[in-house]
Amino acid sequence: MDTPLDARRVRNPGQTREKILDAAQVLILDHGFSATTVDAVVGRAGITKGAFFHHFPSKSDLGRALVERHAATDREHFLAQLARAEKLAADPLQQVLLLIGFYEEEFDAMEEPYPGCLFASYIYEHKLFDDGTLEILKDAALFWRAQMKAKLEQVMAAYPPNRAVELDSLSDLFYSITEGAFVMTKTLGDKTMLSRQTKHLRTYLELLFAK
Amino acid sequence: MDTPLDARRVRNPGQTREKILDAAQVLILDHGFSATTVDAVVGRAGITKGAFFHHFPSKSDLGRALVERHAATDREHFLAQLARAEKLAADPLQQVLLLIGFYEEEFDAMEEPYPGCLFASYIYEHKLFDDGTLEILKDAALFWRAQMKAKLEQVMAAYPPNRAVELDSLSDLFYSITEGAFVMTKTLGDKTMLSRQTKHLRTYLELLFAK
């Protein structure tokens, strides 16, 4: 089938794949994975069904690829913001506070309420996904924990905490507060929710490690 | 159809309705609303399809009734724990800390990882629900905010906070931390996640209002 659309796809196959993933992500965050049909994705992406199946043999392949992309972006973004924080401050506590602050700045800059997190969307339909896909969600949560924990260990060595706290769950708090704030953002349609919730994590860490 | 099952239903219609709602809730938290079929609910509840449609003319009626029940239970439970806290302590800060602590005790007592929150499940498929159903989710979040805010206003009057904090978002933090911890519990299959995340909220409030 040498249609103009197919020709365009052949000229820029990466772009078509990204368009499909972008369209699917928007639809899934509003309707869930189950109710998002291939037809709807194709319609939103403005491509042919042939192009869709060229890139993704099945909807389940799409689901897997989408969360793989989301996990990779999430991870790169976290590491980039951490690297910025480490460049701008020498003190580990200041680095953690900057890292969280950079996320707040981004949340504040959004013009629309944040559409939610693909990880949470998938987890509330988790029986629809294979173990490999669920492993990606798990790895993402454990990546955040490991990164935050490494930094908080440096903080604790420099600043004895003012209350006895358990390190693993403290490391998880950034992830859980943002996930919770995504749910509230979607529930209330309030775009300020994310940065306002995250700010409390910063205040908590300031108080916990205040000299 | 005067089958034995129907006869049982007529003898105890409320019980059948609850059985349907219980079955649907378990299925929805694992598969989402869209992928949960009436057949699956009927199978899990061990009732006839006739009995199902006697109680719920459509799946959408079931979805509405389920979240109405969840919101009512959630609200009653919150008010009951708040009343306990208010009976056991005179000081508003102690009351808030007890309230959160009671939730922690319950999370700790669970034998299985918490299956998640129906509100979050619905919000990640929100385009499948009518405005009335979404209004219930919104009311639930605003109920928690209003309740926590009323109590935190009393706390602030007695204990000037050690950092400038914004009251509305502080009031939302209990809701967002639990929602986030539900996502993490499901992701990691770790039943300790909920009480460990919630404990940080208690520690935060202790530090924020420490004399």
Side-chain angles (χ1 to χ4, degrees), chain A residues 30-32 34-35 117 123-127 163 166 169-170 173 176 180 186-187 196-197 200 204 206, chain B residues 30-32 34-35 117 123-127 137 163 166 169-170 173 176 180 186 196-197 200 204 206:
Chain A
D30 280 343
H31 304 78
S34 167
C117 173
I123 215 64
Y124 272 106
E125 290 181 285
H126 69 99
K127 283 277 169 75
R163 287 285 188 289
E166 188 231 336
S169 61
L170 184 64
L173 205 52
S176 70
K186 283 182 87 68
T187 304
R196 287 160 69 214
Q197 292 299 288
H200 286 291
Y204 176 39
E206 281 171 7
Chain B
D30 281 343
H31 304 77
S34 166
C117 173
I123 214 65
Y124 272 107
E125 291 180 283
H126 70 100
K127 284 276 170 77
L137 309 182
R163 287 286 187 290
E166 188 232 335
S169 61
L170 183 64
L173 205 52
S176 72
K186 284 182 86 71
R196 287 161 67 214
Q197 292 300 288
H200 285 292
Y204 176 39
E206 281 170 8

Side-chain angles (χ1 to χ4, degrees), chain A:
Chain A
M1 296 186 299
D2 201 4
T3 66
L5 266 168
D6 278 346
R8 202 187 312 154
R9 167 173 64 70
V10 170
R11 278 204 302 275
N12 205 337
Q15 201 181 31
T16 302
R17 191 174 187 276
E18 292 303 301
K19 267 166 77 175
I20 296 169
L21 291 172
D22 291 345
Q25 178 152 330
V26 170
L27 291 167
I28 289 171
L29 288 173
D30 280 343
H31 304 78
F33 184 76
S34 167
T36 297
T37 62
V38 170
D39 281 340
V41 174
V42 160
R44 191 180 173 95
I47 51 146
T48 65
K49 222 160 169 168
F52 178 94
F53 287 112
H54 171 80
H55 287 283
F56 303 105
S58 70
K59 193 179 134 183
S60 132
D61 292 308
L62 167 71
R64 173 68 171 263
L66 188 58
V67 80
E68 274 171 355
R69 183 181 74 158
H70 184 68
T73 309
D74 178 67
R75 192 178 288 235
E76 279 161 31
H77 184 68
F78 184 99
L79 291 175
Q81 298 296 47
L82 179 61
R84 269 181 79 200
E86 288 175 337
K87 213 166 166 179
L88 287 164
D91 177 77
L93 178 56
Q94 290 311 315
Q95 291 171 348
V96 175
L97 299 177
L98 276 176
L99 171 69
I100 301 167
F102 291 152
Y103 274 84
E104 276 172 53
E105 283 184 341
E106 288 183 315
F107 294 146
D108 274 332
M110 299 193 74
E111 284 176 18
E112 297 288 322
Y114 199 82
C117 173
L118 212 57
F119 297 146
S121 163
Y122 276 42
I123 215 64
Y124 272 106
E125 290 181 285
H126 69 99
K127 283 277 169 75
L128 312 185
F129 298 100
D130 59 27
D131 288 348
T133 302
L134 296 177
E135 206 57 39
I136 295 168
L137 308 182
K138 205 168 166 171
D139 286 349
L142 294 177
F143 168 81
W144 278 62
R145 176 187 293 173
Q147 291 293 325
M148 291 297 289
K149 188 174 175 175
K151 192 48 69 184
L152 287 170
E153 273 169 347
Q154 297 170 18
V155 174
M156 286 202 175
Y159 301 84
N162 294 311
R163 287 285 188 289
V165 283
E166 188 231 336
L167 185 59
D168 270 355
S169 61
L170 184 64
S171 310
D172 286 338
L173 205 52
F174 193 14
Y175 197 93
S176 70
I177 284 183
T178 49
E179 283 296 350
F182 290 141
V183 172
M184 291 199 86
T185 301
K186 283 182 87 68
T187 304
L188 299 173
D190 179 351
K191 79 177 200 70
T192 69
M193 199 61 69
L194 263 161
S195 68
R196 287 160 69 214
Q197 292 299 288
T198 312
K199 189 172 191 319
H200 286 291
L201 174 58
R202 253 192 322 141
T203 308
Y204 176 39
L205 295 176
E206 281 171 7
L207 287 163
L208 189 58
F209 297 112
K211 294 262 186 194

Side-chain angles (χ1 to χ4, degrees), chain A residues 142 145 149 164-174 176-177 201 204 208, chain B residues 100-101 103-109 114 174 177-178 180-182 184-185 188-204:
Chain A
L142 294 177
R145 176 187 293 173
K149 188 174 175 175
V165 283
E166 188 231 336
L167 185 59
D168 270 355
S169 61
L170 184 64
S171 310
D172 286 338
L173 205 52
F174 193 14
S176 70
I177 284 183
L201 174 58
Y204 176 39
L208 189 58
Chain B
I100 301 167
Y103 274 85
E104 276 172 53
E105 283 184 339
E106 289 183 316
F107 294 145
D108 274 333
Y114 199 81
F174 193 14
I177 284 184
T178 51
F182 290 142
M184 291 199 86
T185 301
L188 299 171
D190 179 350
K191 78 178 201 70
T192 69
M193 199 61 69
L194 264 161
S195 67
R196 287 161 67 214
Q197 292 300 288
T198 312
K199 188 172 192 318
H200 285 292
L201 174 58
R202 252 191 322 140
T203 308
Y204 176 39

